[in-house]
Amino acid sequence: MLRMPDGTALELIEIPSLDAEAPTLVLLHEGLGSARLWRDFPRAVAAATGCGTIAFSRYGHGRSDPPPAPRTPQFMHEEALDVLPVVLRELEAADPVLVGHSDGASIALIYAAEHRVRALVAIAPHVFVEEMCLAEIRRARHVYGREGLRDRMARHHRDPDAAFYGWNDVWLDPEFRAWDISDSVARIECPILLIQGERDRYGTMAQLDAVERLARGPVERVHLDCGHAPHLERPEETLEAVAGFVATRAA
């Protein structure tokens, strides 16, 4: 666990590097994720890149403490600008390579607009709200408590209801429809690798198009034959893409 300055604790997975010169990869999970729900990816990406790798569970996820305040439609900005800088400082992870998935990718993009980042990997990022994404989130709300979703989440989260509704309520808040981080993306100067599943039900390639169009630094894209979680559905191709990107853009 990572003890924060205010006394709260965040669940942490930390894999050290044997190379003191290698950058540190910091993994930011998706809306229903946690450090452990990256599954084998942290150790695999550490081995593939030679980098120290850190994954942590945001407040209300995994075994981390509950959020200090209710989430708002600005929660990704709050995570990126209020929480993540403190986490990185406590971990002594200056100039990291951020690897984010879904909501975590959006948090990484917002952070990189305001802070120095060596490079950034955005897996299935959200830049703006698409109706197809909201439809899936509404469907998830309908089946939560049915079809075993709550039971599956309870195996990975201390409080599955807090994790689920903290994500679902915000995305379905009418105010959230106007959420858009294009202005943030337009301020990013570090290299970016975009990875997207061609059958992702939570977002289209328009999300990647926006990053490629707006970002100031070099942008690379990888499209894979999978859904919303390329690192789990196509692990070999995802690892190959991330390792190659880190070797060429973050060395």
Side-chain angles (χ1 to χ4, degrees), residues 215-233:
R216 297 180 183 179
V219 176
E220 302 176 24
R221 296 173 62 148
V222 173
H223 302 173
L224 297 175
D225 181 17
C226 63
H228 190 56
H231 57 293
L232 301 180
E233 300 170 56

Side-chain angles (χ1 to χ4, degrees), residues 43-51 239-240 243-244:
R43 294 197 177 278
V45 77
T49 62
C51 295
L239 285 169
E240 181 180 4

Side-chain angles (χ1 to χ4, degrees), residues 16-38:
S17 172
L18 298 179
D19 181 0
E21 301 300 318
T24 299
L25 307 184
V26 178
L27 277 51
L28 307 174
H29 63 74
E30 77 276 22
L32 294 182
S34 70
R36 297 187 186 280
L37 281 170
W38 284 101

Side-chain angles (χ1 to χ4, degrees), residues 1-24:
M1 301 291 282
L2 173 66
R3 186 64 60 181
M4 297 285 276
D6 63 0
T8 58
L10 298 177
E11 182 180 25
L12 183 72
I13 295 173
E14 188 168 11
I15 304 165
S17 172
L18 298 179
D19 181 0
E21 301 300 318
T24 299

Side-chain angles (χ1 to χ4, degrees), residues 18-131:
L18 298 179
D19 181 0
E21 301 300 318
T24 299
L25 307 184
V26 178
L27 277 51
L28 307 174
H29 63 74
E30 77 276 22
L32 294 182
S34 70
R36 297 187 186 280
L37 281 170
W38 284 101
R39 303 195 185 276
D40 295 334
F41 187 74
R43 294 197 177 278
V45 77
T49 62
C51 295
T53 301
I54 294 167
F56 69 95
S57 298
R58 295 194 294 275
Y59 288 111
H61 294 260
R63 304 305 170 198
S64 291
D65 284 347
R71 291 196 179 103
T72 75
Q74 291 299 312
F75 85 98
M76 284 190 267
H77 284 79
E78 292 159 2
E79 290 287 345
L81 303 179
D82 299 335
V83 180
L84 185 55
V86 180
V87 170
L88 296 178
R89 184 170 66 246
E90 292 300 305
L91 293 171
E92 299 182 350
D95 195 24
V97 176
L98 297 181
V99 181
H101 173 221
S102 192
D103 286 9
S106 302
I107 291 167
L109 290 166
I110 296 167
Y111 178 91
E114 305 294 337
H115 298 273
R116 177 173 171 78
V117 171
R118 185 175 298 202
L120 191 158
V121 178
I123 304 171
H126 304 289
V127 177
F128 54 89
V129 177
E130 292 183 281
E131 179 55 38

